[in-house]
Amino acid sequence: MAAKPLPPRPLPEQLVVVAFTNAYEQLPWPDRAPSAEGDFFVVMADSKDVSVPLRTIEWLTLSTPVALGPGVSRIDYKATDNTLSKRRVEAPVVVKGTHYSVVFLQQPGLLVQDELTRTLNCPLNLDCLIAICFIADLINKIPLPPIRLIVLVVAVLALVALGFVVVAIRAAFAGVPEPKPLSTDTNGVPIVVVPGVSVPQGLPLANVRAEDQTIALQTVKEIYWLIKQVAAG
């Protein structure tokens, strides 16, 4: 006797979620285009016949089923950003009294965040350090302390101005991608501002381009080493 075929599954069996769900906001939204509606999946059943037993499952949040038309409904879902390795959850959904599960797989974001943290924590470039030591040596050769202090202040201001110039030059190049951080979660790794001083929270900034933050931190390190070398001389 032939086996009775199983009825078609009314909803997806597996969904893949991006690691950073708001990454699309990095680009300007097209003019006159409707706003993004978020992520959802379709269930081939009336909304009154669909229920979600668990609305929140670890990093995933599901919404109440909404009717799209006769015999068709949708369930919106929202995932938190994933700054670690790939992860998965199973979401139970009841359709017409039958229990189903939808597997959600979220892509890993660990490599992206590790690279961001590594870049922000990069020590001062060797060429810059050599130039800073040379400038400090010239300042230390000035015999009068008041003039030496004035020259040091001028040098610090020049380094700050140089940082702004570098940022402006980078922004002038067409086609150079300079995204903002996709997430400010550094997985517990503090950002080093200057040697011996780190910030466990507050960096990176969410609304400042990552490259600009790197240049700013490098400028702060240049000023630190200049003052340190002049004081040691």
Side-chain angles (χ1 to χ4, degrees):
M1 183 176 179
K4 185 178 180 180
L6 295 175
R9 184 181 174 92
L11 72 171
E13 183 175 359
Q14 179 176 290
L15 294 170
V16 178
V17 185
V18 296
F20 304 100
T21 57
N22 295 323
Y24 68 92
E25 296 178 354
Q26 295 279 351
L27 295 176
W29 199 251
D31 293 337
R32 300 181 180 178
S35 59
E37 296 185 4
D39 298 317
F40 65 91
F41 61 92
V42 174
V43 182
M44 303 304 296
D46 292 327
S47 59
K48 62 182 178 60
D49 296 327
V50 182
S51 63
V52 180
L54 296 176
R55 296 292 177 83
T56 302
I57 311 170
E58 298 180 18
W59 46 269
L60 182 71
T61 301
L62 302 173
S63 65
T64 304
V66 178
L68 290 177
V72 183
S73 58
R74 60 180 275 182
I75 298 178
D76 296 324
Y77 64 88
K78 177 69 175 178
T80 60
D81 290 337
N82 182 19
T83 60
L84 299 172
S85 57
K86 182 173 67 175
R87 57 188 182 181
R88 73 188 297 273
V89 294
E90 291 189 17
V93 180
V94 181
V95 181
K96 296 180 179 179
T98 303
H99 291 259
Y100 297 91
S101 65
V102 180
V103 177
F104 287 82
L105 299 176
Q106 189 169 32
Q107 297 172 342
L110 180 61
L111 181 60
V112 174
Q113 290 307 104
D114 279 355
E115 183 65 19
L116 173 64
T117 304
R118 186 195 67 81
T119 303
L120 293 177
N121 279 334
C122 182
L124 184 61
N125 181 278
L126 181 59
D127 294 337
C128 292
L129 183 59
I130 293 174
I132 290 298
C133 291
F134 176 73
I135 295 173
D137 184 60
L138 293 178
I139 294 176
N140 284 328
K141 289 181 180 180
I142 299 175
L144 299 177
I147 298 179
R148 187 186 311 148
L149 179 61
I150 294 174
V151 174
L152 175 60
V153 172
V154 172
V156 169
L157 295 177
L159 290 176
V160 174
L162 180 61
F164 281 105
V165 170
V166 172
V167 170
I169 291 176
R170 278 192 55 85
F173 283 100
V176 177
E178 295 189 17
K180 300 173 184 177
L182 295 176
S183 174
T184 58
D185 186 358
T186 60
N187 297 322
V189 179
I191 302 300
V192 178
V193 180
V194 295
V197 178
S198 60
V199 180
Q201 294 180 346
L203 290 175
L205 301 175
N207 297 317
V208 180
R209 292 178 294 188
E211 187 64 31
D212 291 351
Q213 296 187 59
T214 302
I215 295 173
L217 287 172
Q218 288 287 305
T219 302
V220 172
K221 291 181 176 69
E222 291 172 355
I223 296 173
Y224 167 82
W225 283 110
L226 176 62
I227 296 175
K228 184 178 179 65
Q229 292 298 315
V230 171

